[in-house]
Amino acid sequence: MQAMILAAGFGTRLKPYSLAKPKPLFPVLNVPLLRATIDRLRSSGFSSITVNCHHLREQVREEVAGRAGVILQEEEIILGTGGGLRQALDNLDDAPLLVTNGDIYHNLDFRKLYRHHLKNDAEVTMVFHDYPRFNTVSLAGNRVSGFHRKQQSNWRAYTGIQVINPRILMEIRTGVYSCIIDLYRRMLANGRAIHCFHADDLCWSDMGTIGDYLELHEMLLLGRMPLWPELGVLPENSMLIDEDCVIGRSCRFTGWNCVGAAEIGDFVHLSRSVVWDKARVASHSRIEGTLISGVA
């Protein structure tokens, strides 16, 4: 089976942090999300995984170097979801392609989705759930009836996960920016079906803002979000601290925290925060509900 991870975007809403690290490489429980996503796809039976990149692509290149079955697609210009998929076509076979955004965390069963797509002999199967903040797609039973600009409660949100029959990508122009939804709008206008996979019980986060990123860690560390085995084992006290972290004298850690191989000064109070590898927290600091990156 083949899959593609879309990892080329700028992460605009995560500035200034995304100016120094591409969003798919933001660590989740101290593991780069892209690494965990690749491992999750591999454990689900996907032996060929394409990863596209543009923004800070040298970091993505370094992350995937030497990974068996991973094809890196470097894009000189930003091509969007449609253009990126079209460029990947030369490296794909005729089997359905599972596509996932590189900035999402969820508990969807990839194999179940893939089997659903095959059973329906669909051109496209998109995964939807009820997420009022992003409910912009109207559905009619198991098919999409329209893509819209505004949210509405009785519509559904696209999760960023889909299965595509590669032949439809021939309909996208090569080498230019395009959004895959534009192709789908044309398909609907021509009477072609976009199938749905309903996942209203899905646990899902897109890490779109720093608030989202911190909330994901809170949910994971407090056991309110299913944990990917690829991220390791959670501590019992909601405090994940890397064994290489250097901690000064008389520090207090309260609530939940996720700390990488960082340097924590003396008399620091850290609460409900994420600290990345190589970051430094000054002595006598009180850090609460914050990302300390060390790079921004």
Side-chain angles (χ1 to χ4, degrees), residues 74-130:
E74 298 191 43
E75 300 171 3
E76 294 300 320
I77 62 171
I78 195 76
L79 292 173
T81 53
L85 283 164
R86 177 62 180 86
Q87 184 162 315
L89 193 55
D90 290 342
N91 292 318
L92 303 177
D93 58 35
D94 294 332
L97 174 71
L98 186 142
V99 182
T100 180
N101 289 354
D103 60 355
I104 55 175
Y105 183 95
H106 56 85
N107 66 334
L108 182 76
D109 186 330
F110 286 133
R111 284 173 289 196
K112 183 177 179 180
L113 166 64
Y114 201 83
R115 289 194 299 266
H116 177 89
H117 177 83
L118 293 174
K119 180 180 178 181
N120 286 281
D121 192 28
E123 289 190 295
V124 181
T125 301
M126 304 178 74
V127 180
F128 294 95
H129 65 154
D130 186 10

Side-chain angles (χ1 to χ4, degrees), residues 170-189:
M170 292 294 296
E171 302 172 39
I172 300 173
R173 290 178 58 198
T174 60
V176 296
Y177 177 91
S178 70
C179 176
I180 193 66
I181 300 301
D182 292 335
L183 170 61
Y184 296 166
R185 286 193 171 102
R186 295 196 298 270
M187 290 175 63
L188 291 180

Side-chain angles (χ1 to χ4, degrees), residues 143-159:
R143 296 189 177 187
V144 173
S145 55
F147 298 94
H148 309 281
R149 305 294 184 188
K150 296 182 179 180
Q151 298 96 330
Q152 189 157 311
S153 60
N154 61 338
W155 295 345
R156 288 295 181 266
Y158 170 48
T159 60

Side-chain angles (χ1 to χ4, degrees), residues 149-263:
R149 305 294 184 188
K150 296 182 179 180
Q151 298 96 330
Q152 189 157 311
S153 60
N154 61 338
W155 295 345
R156 288 295 181 266
Y158 170 48
T159 60
I161 310 165
Q162 59 184 320
V163 182
I164 300 172
N165 285 359
R167 63 178 178 270
I168 73 168
L169 300 176
M170 292 294 296
E171 302 172 39
I172 300 173
R173 290 178 58 198
T174 60
V176 296
Y177 177 91
S178 70
C179 176
I180 193 66
I181 300 301
D182 292 335
L183 170 61
Y184 296 166
R185 286 193 171 102
R186 295 196 298 270
M187 290 175 63
L188 291 180
N190 291 326
R192 295 158 67 185
I194 307 293
H195 285 252
C196 306
F197 183 92
H198 296 276
D200 282 341
D201 59 348
L202 187 67
C203 294
W204 180 90
S205 171
D206 81 331
M207 296 197 334
T209 67
I210 292 301
D212 294 330
Y213 180 67
L214 293 173
E215 182 182 32
L216 173 60
H217 279 83
E218 177 180 12
M219 298 291 282
L220 288 169
L221 287 168
L222 296 183
R224 298 172 184 168
M225 176 83 83
L227 177 69
W228 289 358
E230 295 79 11
L231 294 177
V233 178
L234 288 178
E236 295 182 359
N237 62 357
S238 303
M239 299 283 175
L240 180 62
I241 301 177
D242 190 277
E243 62 181 12
D244 291 327
C245 180
V246 178
I247 302 175
R249 296 173 297 151
S250 301
C251 292
R252 292 179 58 214
F253 295 83
T254 60
W256 59 267
N257 290 287
C258 179
V259 185
E263 182 179 337

